[in-house]
Every structure is written in structure tokens, then in C-alpha cells.
Amino acid sequence: MEEFHKVRRLPPYVFEQVNRLKASARAAGADIIDLGMGNPDLPTPQSIVDKLCEVVQDPRTHRYSSSKGIPGLRRAQAAYYARRFGVKLNPETQVVATLGSKEGFANMAQAITAPGDVILCPNPTYPIHAFGFLMAGGVIRSISVEPDDSFFGPLERAVRHSIPKPLALILNYPSNPTAQVATLDFYKEVIAFAKKHDIIVLSDLAYSEIYFDDVPPPSVLEVPGAIDVTVEFTSMSKTFSMPGWRMGFAVGNERLIAALTRVKSYLDYGAFTPIQVAATQALNGDGSDIAEVRNIYKRRRDVMVESFGKAGFEVPPPPATMFAWAKIPEKFRHLGSLEFSKLLVEKADVAVAPGIGFGEQGDDYVRLALVENEHRIRQAARNIKRFLSAADETMHNVISLNAHR
Ligand SMILES: Cc1ncc(COP(=O)(O)O)c(C=O)c1O
């Protein structure tokens, strides 16, 4: 029987292959150190959990909630943008709460895409950026992920040679998986370009608060007039260690926000009210919870860069996000990222995300998530060191796995 049209557009998740291997290694008793999935391991701050528990006692909160988000939550998000970015938003018309930023992004794609619309999407990137639009009937044209001058030449060409003219351009800085951060000057050029060509800008700012340098990542909405063409997505998942709560936001251009709000009003009744109330409290907090999360990731990053480097696996220090994006050591690069990732599970008890899962341009890399504690990261480095030196001696055995490709 032929596969359904939509399902045909969703190939099996590449990460699933590593996950399966990880599960069977664990079932056989291996202690796998999991740097694969970007699933934060830190507990949600206690004050947020307490608020949820308090509010859930009130039966009035058990009814359907508000699809676009309760007013206090939207006001809190607008206040965050004012405080953090100096961007003024109308919480009534320019802010909508989403069930995580992933849902918001995917439903924005549903809201704005006609069959065959061309979307400019970085490669490599977080999979929903492409698949949200593929599911909505769009067509993806890959662009560079480098947030510098080299971004614009290929972008010009992509716009000139796309039929129909592209509908939207996706930005994601700090980037998952590459961890690159964009400057405001870069955003200014992107917005000028988008306005010139009448292209919508969709910015995924999920890692707005997970940064390690002195300069916090900007919002593209800081560019004067950006709101004419832009919607930006943020997430509570990483900032407040709330991935399972499913709470995020879309903010920006009124017409686009109205389109997303309309689609969502047909699909959901909003997050559970106690979650929305607890999220409101989190956003209105003094920032100390965020600083603590940031410091933990920073220490883990430093430990990873140092210990992996000593083990012979060079990891460039990411300036932001909870990921390092590391080139596969030269002698294994020809295997490709999926086979290399499988090898690490089998021979080093370490799980990583193969770069190919983020797009064809990612195949020389693996992504390492900072979701294990410092002790476990050091252990992963020791395992990898052992694997690398054993590989030197028994290279023929290791490389033979390539035959399975
Ligand atoms: C770039 C990026 N966007 C969105 C998400 C999803 O966030 P949420 O939990 O808010 O749906 C992630 C999660 O890993 C991400 O890395």
C-alpha cells in the first residue's frame, strides 16, 4: 500500500537510528553517556513548580484555557521583550503563546504556506524549520547558516533563481546546531534584504538566554521597522528548564500573528491554565533562575572543550546554546556523521547527534549536547580518548563498519 502523502514527506528521523542503538546498548548493560538529544536535564526552578501546584488546586483552572494565551502571560512576554531587547509589543495583537516554540513554528508554516511556496532555510538547522514547511506543502531552498557577509551572495542567487519568489526566510541565532550568534548589524542587512524582496522573516530565538559571552544575543526585532515583516519565536524550555511544560511564544508582525492565532484557535485550547500562570510568574521573575541555568551550561561547556580537547577530539567553544558543534576527527570524516555517531555509541558508550540529521551540510560534524553533568562529560572524554587510541591500533576493525553504509 502506498504511503500517505504527508508521511512520505517525513523521512524517519535520522536521530532515531542512534537512539535505537543507544537503547539496545543500554539494555545490554552499557552506561551510555547521552550527549545526543537536546533535552535539558535540569529541574524546573522550585518556585515555578510551586506556583503550578498552587494554581492547579483551583477547579476553575481545569476548564479549557485561552488558545492565544491568558492576558497576563502575553503581557509578561511583552514586558520581557521591552526589558531585554528594548522592543515594544502590543500584548493584544503582537504576542501569542504557543505550545512550545516548535508548535508555534509548525503552525505558522500551516498558516502562511500555499502549495509550492518556496522557503529559504539554513542548512544545517533544527529539523522543524524545514519539515514544518514541507508538511505545509512548501518547498525548501537551502541557504547558508553563516551569520556574516558570506550569507548574502548565495541568498541573492537563491531569491533570483526561485520560482515562485520565496515567501519566507528562516533565521535561527544562536543556531541549533552550529551555536553561531548573529549581530544586530547582520540582522539589519537581513531585514533590508527581506523588505527589498518582500520576504517574510521568521526568527527562532529559542536560545535567547543561553549565552556565554558578555554580549547577549540580540532579537531581530531590535532592527527598526523589522516588525513590518518579522515574527520571532522564543521558548521557555531552555531558559527556565521547562521543556516538558510546552510553553513558548510568537511575537511580531500583527498580520502574521493574527494568521497563527486563527489557525491555533481551530486546533487547540491553549496550554493548561496552571502552566500558563506558572509561566507568567517565571517570565516576571528577577532573572536569577536564568543566570543559574546559564552558569551551569557554561561550566559544562568549559569542561567539555577542555576534556575533549585533551582526549584528541577538538571541540570549539560554543558562544551560546546548549550544544557544541564539532568537526569529526579527520581520520573518521569519510565515514559520515551517522556511522561515526554509531561508532561512538558502540565503542565509546557516548551518544551524540549526527550532523546529517540537521541537513546535508552538517555531515562532517556531530552535535554534542550539554545535558550531562560535568563528571559525566569528563567520563565521556575518557571513553573517547580510549576509543581514539584503540582506533589507531585497530583501525581496520573500526573502519570495516563503513561497509554497512
Ligand atoms: C532552535 C530550536 N527551536 C525550537 C526548539 C523547540 O523548543 P520548544 O521546546 O519551545 O518547542 C528547539 C529545541 O531543541 C530548538 O533547538
Side-chain angles (χ1 to χ4, degrees), residues 38-39 98-104 125-126 128-129 172 174-176 204-207 234-238 242-244 246-249 322-323 367:
N39 193 353
T98 60
L99 307 174
S101 59
K102 191 177 188 185
E103 180 269 334
T125 198
Y126 182 58
I128 196 67
H129 297 153
N172 170 219
S175 160
N176 176 9
D204 181 347
L205 187 55
Y207 297 95
T234 57
S235 169
M236 304 209 53
S237 300
K238 325 290 159 140
M242 294 170 68
R246 311 312 300 130
M247 184 50 66
F249 298 92
M322 48 192 280
F323 307 112
R367 191 196 69 179

Side-chain angles (χ1 to χ4, degrees), residues 31-80:
D31 175 20
I32 302 291
I33 301 172
D34 193 356
L35 311 175
M37 297 296 287
N39 193 353
D41 62 315
L42 305 172
T44 305
Q46 192 56 44
S47 59
I48 304 174
V49 175
D50 288 346
K51 190 68 185 173
L52 174 84
C53 294
E54 176 200 320
V55 178
V56 78
Q57 298 300 333
D58 180 351
R60 283 175 307 173
T61 66
H62 301 170
R63 308 189 68 185
Y64 290 130
S65 193
S66 158
S67 168
K68 66 194 253 191
I70 57 175
L73 178 62
R74 283 182 281 114
R75 279 199 299 275
Q77 174 69 351
Y80 165 71

Side-chain angles (χ1 to χ4, degrees), residues 137-155:
V139 175
I140 296 300
R141 172 129 190 176
S142 290
I143 54 170
S144 165
V145 68
E146 301 293 329
D148 57 28
D149 286 347
S150 69
F151 183 83
F152 293 96
L155 182 67

